[in-house]
């Protein structure tokens, strides 16, 4: 039996059994967080390309986040996925380095709305999709990234196809075909780092769109390779460089439905690359010790080697990023901003870094962190030498919001409300939150999809 067919049968068994209550609650919280990030993006300059693109689309049945009107489901998946990822504020499973919600939430929302399924069906498909995507990343830790591909997008295309196929009632053969078709739609490369191009936000949206389209095409009779995972040109061979990694994915499927990874996924509390977050926290600790930016003679960040290519290289470009958006992947600018401005939030990246931040960034250096446990945890060390000869060493063992340092329900809901206010009026923020909280009992998801843009602020 091929991996794709085995996967479909296992997913259907899990779906029949349903989610454990605690996993369903976690899934709803991640969905709330992802939609909140999409609302913040829709009400920001970062979302402007998606707003303009959506304005040119024809009418359809699927809702957009923070944008009035409806479009075709695959187009909605594209736009909503781009919005959810556009601010680098969406959740991440650190061990697998996947941004699950930015692919699976838009795919599941569009497919569920088109099929008219229940809130429980939406939640289950979304959560099980997370479990599959995490297992793809865990089977090949760092391998996709080493070849220049974002695992979220290349693996996400296949998993979005699976989610869409499950929600729209495809047969087993059609679902296997949909994943095979999705393989041909898989892409998402890291070349955006050369100039901080905003196309990176599109990666999850493209994967979600590819998945929706693959399911539609499979229903129409198009076929795909059944060996989409383990084949000579399958996912692991073509994008991770080693077909043998499919064996690790196959082994991981044995725990599907009994071992849950979604509750281990991390929520983000700064709108920038997740690898930066422990360094931002360390800089905050340095400030709490009374160290002023002008006191710093030298500051060295010790960086996990696996994270360095994204947030440190090339160092000269990171010290002077081309735009505010490009600074979302800049270690020296993030640390300098936290020390000088006392925060790293949405406003930090909505304009180019100030002259003062860039001046301090040029005094920052980096070196590899010995014994790093990346990507299982996102850790950081900072060594600061002050002009009075003092030396401050600060270590953060893991990023806040990860499973080892959980943020808690209230912190996530507070983040949602702060983000949603960029697009929705207060009554819309509350009704959307209530609609997500009540998904378990909802026979359809109409209340949720209506709330996505029902009370868009006139000044948004």
């Amino acid at each position: 039996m091929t991996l794709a067919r085995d996967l479909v049968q296992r997913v259907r068994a899990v779906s029949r059994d349903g989610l454990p209550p605690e996993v369903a609650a976690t899934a709803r919280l991640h969905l709330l967080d992802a939609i909140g990030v999409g609302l913040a993006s829709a009400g920001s300059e970062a979302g402007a390309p998606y707003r303009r693109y959506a304005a040119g689309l024809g009418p359809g049945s699927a809702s957009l986040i923070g944008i009035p009107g409806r479009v075709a489901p695959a187009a909605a998946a594209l736009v909503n996925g781009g919005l959810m990822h556009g601010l680098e504020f969406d959740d991440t499973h650190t061990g697998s380095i996947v941004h699950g919600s930015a692919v699976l939430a838009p795919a599941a929302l569009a497919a569920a709305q088109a099929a008219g399924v229940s809130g429980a069906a939406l939640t289950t498909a979304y959560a099980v999709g997370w479990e599959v995507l995490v297992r793809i990343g865990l089977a090949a830790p760092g391998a996709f990234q080493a070849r220049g591909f974002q695992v979220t997008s290349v693996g996400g295309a296949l998993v979005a196809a699976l989610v869409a196929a499950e929600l729209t009632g495809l047969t087993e053969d059609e679902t296997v075909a949909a994943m095979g078709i999705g393989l041909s739609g898989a892409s998402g490369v890291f070349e955006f780092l050369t100039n901080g191009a905003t196309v990176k936000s599109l990666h999850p949206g493209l994967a979600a769109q590819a998945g929706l389209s693959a399911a539609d095409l499979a229903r129409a009779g198009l076929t795909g390779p059944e060996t989409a995972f383990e084949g000579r040109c399958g996912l692991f061979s073509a994008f991770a460089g080693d077909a043998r990694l499919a064996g690790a994915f196959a082994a991981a499927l044995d725990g599907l439905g009994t071992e849950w990874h979604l509750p281990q996924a991390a929520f983000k509390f700064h709108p920038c690359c997740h690898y930066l977050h422990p360094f931002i926290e360390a800089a905050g600790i340095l400030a709490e010790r009374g160290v002023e930016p002008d006191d710093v003679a030298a500051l060295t960040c010790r960086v996990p080697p696996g994270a360095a290519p994204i947030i440190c290289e090339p160092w000269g470009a990171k010290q002077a990023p081309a735009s505010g958006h490009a600074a979302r992947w800049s270690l020296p600018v993030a640390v300098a901003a936290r020390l000088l401005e006392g925060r790293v939030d949405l406003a930090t990246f909505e304009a180019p870094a100030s002259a003062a931040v860039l001046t301090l960034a040029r005094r920052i250096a980096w070196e590899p962190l010995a014994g790093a446990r990346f990507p299982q945890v996102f850790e950081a060390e900072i060594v600061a030498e002050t002009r009075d000869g003092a030396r401050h060493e600060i270590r953060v063992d893991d990023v806040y919001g990860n499973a080892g340092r959980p943020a808690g329900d209230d912190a996530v809901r507070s983040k949602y409300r702060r983000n949603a206010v960029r697009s929705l009026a207060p009554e819309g923020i509350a009704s959307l939150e209530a609609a997500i909280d009540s998904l378990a009992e909802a026979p359809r998801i109409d209340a949720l999809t209506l709330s996505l843009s029902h009370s868009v602020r006139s000044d948004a």
Side-chain angles (χ1 to χ4, degrees):
M1 183 182 295
T2 63
L3 268 175
R5 191 167 296 275
D6 181 39
L7 174 59
V8 174
Q9 293 179 6
R10 290 175 183 271
V11 165
R12 294 194 169 172
V14 175
S15 297
R16 285 193 299 270
D17 293 341
L19 301 176
E22 65 276 12
V23 175
T26 298
R28 291 191 295 270
L29 192 63
H30 277 272
L31 184 62
L32 179 74
D33 177 67
I35 289 174
V37 173
L39 290 167
S41 185
S44 303
E45 183 58 30
Y50 293 103
R51 295 195 301 271
R52 290 191 287 267
Y53 178 77
L57 296 172
S61 62
S63 300
L64 298 170
I65 296 173
I67 302 174
R70 293 187 176 186
V71 299
L78 173 73
V79 172
N80 289 338
L83 291 173
M84 288 180 181
H85 199 50
L87 298 172
E88 286 295 313
F89 215 1
D90 49 307
D91 52 16
T92 313
H93 182 272
T94 57
S96 61
I97 321 180
V98 298
H99 296 268
S101 289
V103 175
L104 302 172
L109 282 168
Q113 189 173 12
V117 301
S118 69
L122 163 67
T123 306
T124 298
Y126 168 66
V128 175
W130 254 104
E131 295 301 317
V132 177
L133 187 54
V134 165
R135 284 165 169 79
I136 290 173
L138 291 176
F144 293 97
Q145 294 87 339
R147 288 170 65 88
F149 295 107
Q150 188 180 10
V151 62
T152 297
S153 47
V154 293
L158 280 73
V159 183
L162 172 64
V163 167
E166 289 299 291
L167 285 169
T168 55
L170 268 61
T171 67
E172 180 179 305
D173 286 344
E174 289 169 338
T175 303
V176 170
M179 285 189 285
I181 296 167
L183 175 65
S184 287
S187 187
V189 295
F190 277 105
E191 191 63 16
F192 72 89
L193 285 168
T194 59
N195 67 347
T198 55
V199 68
K200 198 258 189 179
S201 67
L202 188 60
H203 289 181
L206 282 174
Q209 180 190 48
L212 267 290
S213 297
D216 286 343
L217 289 163
R219 181 186 295 103
L222 196 72
T223 60
E226 185 154 332
T227 51
F229 293 101
E230 71 270 33
R232 182 173 60 87
C233 296
L235 177 71
F236 289 99
S237 180
F239 293 103
D242 189 348
R244 294 171 297 180
L245 296 171
F249 176 59
L253 293 181
D254 287 341
L256 196 66
T258 57
E259 179 185 2
W260 296 92
H261 291 287
L262 175 56
Q264 310 304 314
F267 294 98
K268 294 175 73 173
F269 292 92
H270 302 289
C272 56
C273 179
H274 215 166
Y275 305 166
L276 298 176
H277 291 207
F279 291 96
I280 294 169
E281 183 178 354
I285 295 171
L286 184 64
E288 290 168 2
R289 291 184 179 180
V291 176
E292 298 291 336
D294 288 344
D295 296 336
V296 176
L299 191 152
T300 300
C301 298
R302 293 173 179 160
V303 183
I310 306 298
I311 61 174
C312 298
E313 299 174 359
W315 190 245
K318 297 301 184 185
Q319 290 177 310
S323 65
H325 181 70
R328 296 183 197 274
W329 295 272
S330 168
L331 176 59
V333 167
V335 169
R338 176 62 184 86
L339 289 172
L340 275 166
E341 298 171 356
R343 56 174 174 76
V344 175
D345 57 15
L346 289 170
T348 303
F349 305 104
E350 292 180 325
S354 68
V357 167
L358 294 177
T359 297
L360 180 55
R362 286 192 289 270
R363 300 211 304 271
I364 298 174
W366 79 277
E367 63 187 26
L369 174 63
R373 298 167 293 161
F374 178 90
Q376 286 71 33
V377 295
F378 290 0
E379 54 199 322
E381 290 184 3
I382 283 181
V383 179
E385 297 177 3
T386 53
R387 301 189 190 280
D388 61 3
R391 179 182 173 92
H392 301 265
E393 293 198 26
I394 298 166
R395 176 177 173 81
V396 174
D397 290 327
D398 196 7
V399 64
Y400 171 67
N402 208 355
R405 299 181 62 202
D409 187 277
D410 288 345
V412 177
R413 290 178 183 274
S414 177
K415 175 192 169 185
Y416 157 76
R417 294 163 191 155
R418 291 194 306 272
N419 282 332
V421 76
R422 287 204 166 198
S423 285
L424 299 184
E427 63 272 18
I429 296 171
S431 65
L432 179 51
E433 186 171 359
I436 293 174
D437 285 342
S438 62
L439 279 175
E441 298 81 33
R444 293 173 59 93
I445 64 166
D446 297 348
L448 167 56
T449 54
L450 180 64
S451 298
L452 291 177
S453 59
H454 183 61
S455 61
V456 173
R457 290 169 36 188
S458 60
D459 60 340

